[in-house]
Amino acid sequence: MVGVHMLPINLIAVLVSAITAFILGFLFHGPIFGKVWMKLANIHPTGNEKFSDMVPQMLWNLFANVVTAYVLAVIYLFASSSTYLGGSGIWKGVICGLWVWLGFIITSTSMEVIWMGRGVKLWLFECGCSLVVMAVMGAIIAAW
């Protein structure tokens, strides 16, 4: 029988990365670029929105961030032993996050523009946000 080995993933780094991604998402879609995002997404607040109504979506968002951070940590674990990432430490994490962003996030979300009619400007906005988030998550994971 083959033994099962746990991957040496730092779960604290994963959680910190996920929470940081959540905070960055809030900042990009709220205080920093919220008006731009709402215009691009054709969102018109009524003033009747309640924080309590958003809690389920926020929890799902946080869960998705945890999954993303964990998978990025696994990819970083394997990629960091390679000489192809260049640099060291945090820089390797940033580069790893950027490769994941380019290879998976950009390509998969582009289908929303190509096939579902999502606006290119909104897509570019979201791509810019995810670029920052993935680079920061990679840096945090590599720093631990």
Side-chain angles (χ1 to χ4, degrees):
M1 183 165 157
V2 176
V4 177
H5 298 282
M6 297 293 294
L7 292 172
I9 301 297
N10 186 325
L11 295 180
I12 293 175
V14 167
L15 289 175
V16 169
S17 294
I19 292 167
T20 301
F22 187 83
I23 292 168
L24 287 171
F26 164 75
L27 292 173
F28 285 137
H29 295 85
I32 297 175
F33 300 115
K35 289 182 182 180
V36 171
W37 170 70
M38 285 192 286
K39 182 179 178 186
L40 293 172
N42 200 25
I43 294 173
H44 306 286
T46 63
N48 296 329
E49 295 82 10
K50 294 183 204 171
F51 177 79
S52 60
D53 292 340
M54 294 185 281
V55 169
Q57 291 92 337
M58 292 169 67
L59 291 174
W60 280 113
N61 187 188
L62 184 59
F63 175 74
N65 289 343
V66 170
V67 172
T68 301
Y70 186 85
V71 171
L72 182 58
V74 170
I75 292 170
Y76 176 76
L77 174 69
F78 292 106
S80 64
S81 62
S82 166
T83 59
Y84 297 111
L85 282 180
S88 63
I90 293 173
W91 183 242
K92 277 190 174 188
V94 170
I95 297 298
C96 186
L98 295 179
W99 278 115
V100 169
W101 171 81
L102 179 64
F104 297 101
I105 294 175
I106 293 299
T107 55
S108 63
T109 61
S110 69
M111 296 305 127
E112 297 172 14
V113 174
I114 296 168
W115 292 103
M116 298 157 78
R118 184 178 198 182
V120 173
K121 290 180 182 178
L122 177 59
W123 177 70
L124 289 172
F125 175 87
E126 295 296 348
C127 287
C129 293
S130 63
L131 170 68
V132 173
V133 166
M134 292 305 293
V136 169
M137 287 175 78
I140 291 169
I141 288 166
W144 250 287

